Amino acid sequence: MTVQLNNSERLVINQLLDTGLFTSKPYKPTNEVTNAIKSMKKPQFQKRISIYLRDLIGMAPENVQENILLLFGNEYENSENIHVLLATLKAVINLPELQANQKDRSVLTQTIVRQVHSEVIDLDEKEIRRIINQLFVDRFKLFTLDYPELTQSNQSQEVAEYWNVNPNFNQVAQAIVNQLLVHQELDLNDEQKLNRLLLNSRFISRESNFTLWNYLMDHKDSISQSWKNLNRFDLEIGDNYALLLDTKRQQVKSKPSVVAIAVAKAIHTGVSENNLNDLIKEQTRIIFPKNSIALSAVKEVLMDFGLIKIKNEFIFPTPLIQRFSIEKNNRGNDDE
């Protein structure tokens, strides 16, 4: 990796990796963000970011009128998510109430959900709303929750939820369409494949990723340095695993993931493969007593996170389990 990044470049890249979007009109920007926005106007600044990301993961971000977008992550390989994503773009752009460039950009949430449902008929409205929230509220932050001011007469009535649509929505929509087209043409080398896998799963093992593991062993110094350049990641390489450690690590909140971590911790010195289902059920009852969680989902996390290894029909925890802990105040919270 030849590009040495400055603080503003690191800030933009890290935000792209976290949310996928760095916009020139953020909500309540910090001084550091304001400085990065000023730097973003310089072509050389944008070029350096593009070179770094192309070398790292095989794709450069899309820039439409100073809105930098990077569609990276497993959610963009899911056909249902992409369908909802594109249908939401179409629904919002065609909304009559947003055509006149007025200051009030609040739209009834149900209006958008129903319009998207008319295009995505295979999903129910609850699932469509969940995906829109995941992409447009939590990730891109193009929608923010907005509630009408209540008067005395409607205090006791059910309050309708609105989304306030970011004024940059159309520009970001164009960037999304452009970037999706790029996805179809990606031709990745081994280093880019390795880095994408590390960024998506944070873990690889010798057994499950033999070809990329050999590449890592041959180039581990240069690959480790490319991650250190962001002042955020450390690549830990053990005898049989590699783990991308993130100083801004996010809490694991999905129920199967929480249960999988508890199961791996409960295995201790080992457990028979035949007893794994009972152990999963036991930990599920302890942590989420009101929920039914698929055994297959928990097993998938155990393998994807590299929390266990199987030998001679016996299951052992890996050293990685020491990297995880479960907060007590999350136990039994079936709504989390």
Side-chain angles (χ1 to χ4, degrees), residues 146-203:
D146 190 17
Y147 295 95
E149 293 185 8
L150 295 178
T151 63
Q152 193 66 32
S153 62
N154 62 14
Q155 288 282 341
S156 61
Q157 298 179 11
E158 184 177 346
V159 180
E161 182 180 282
Y162 286 75
W163 280 325
N164 191 287
V165 180
N166 188 292
N168 279 0
F169 186 90
N170 285 14
Q171 289 79 13
V172 176
Q174 182 61 58
I176 289 173
V177 172
N178 294 349
Q179 187 103 120
L180 287 175
L181 293 174
V182 170
H183 274 232
Q184 301 173 9
E185 302 173 357
L186 289 179
D187 183 17
L188 305 174
N189 60 36
D190 284 345
E191 182 166 344
Q192 292 160 348
K193 291 176 183 176
L194 173 64
N195 286 331
R196 290 168 75 92
L197 183 60
L198 286 169
L199 199 52
N200 271 324
S201 65
R202 302 302 166 95
F203 170 85

Side-chain angles (χ1 to χ4, degrees), residues 12-13 15-16 19-27 33 36-42 45-46 49-50 53 60-71 89 105 140-143 165-179:
V12 172
I13 292 171
Q15 183 165 322
L16 288 174
T19 70
L21 178 65
F22 186 88
T23 176
S24 59
K25 296 179 181 177
Y27 181 68
V33 171
I37 292 171
K38 293 178 181 177
S39 299
M40 200 163 61
K41 300 179 185 297
K42 303 174 183 178
F45 181 86
Q46 298 177 26
I49 289 174
S50 294
L53 286 170
E62 190 74 23
N63 187 344
V64 176
Q65 297 184 28
E66 298 177 1
N67 296 285
I68 302 181
L69 179 89
L70 183 73
L71 295 186
L89 298 182
R105 297 183 60 82
F140 298 142
K141 295 178 172 46
L142 289 172
F143 297 164
V165 180
N166 188 292
N168 279 0
F169 186 90
N170 285 14
Q171 289 79 13
V172 176
Q174 182 61 58
I176 289 173
V177 172
N178 294 349
Q179 187 103 120

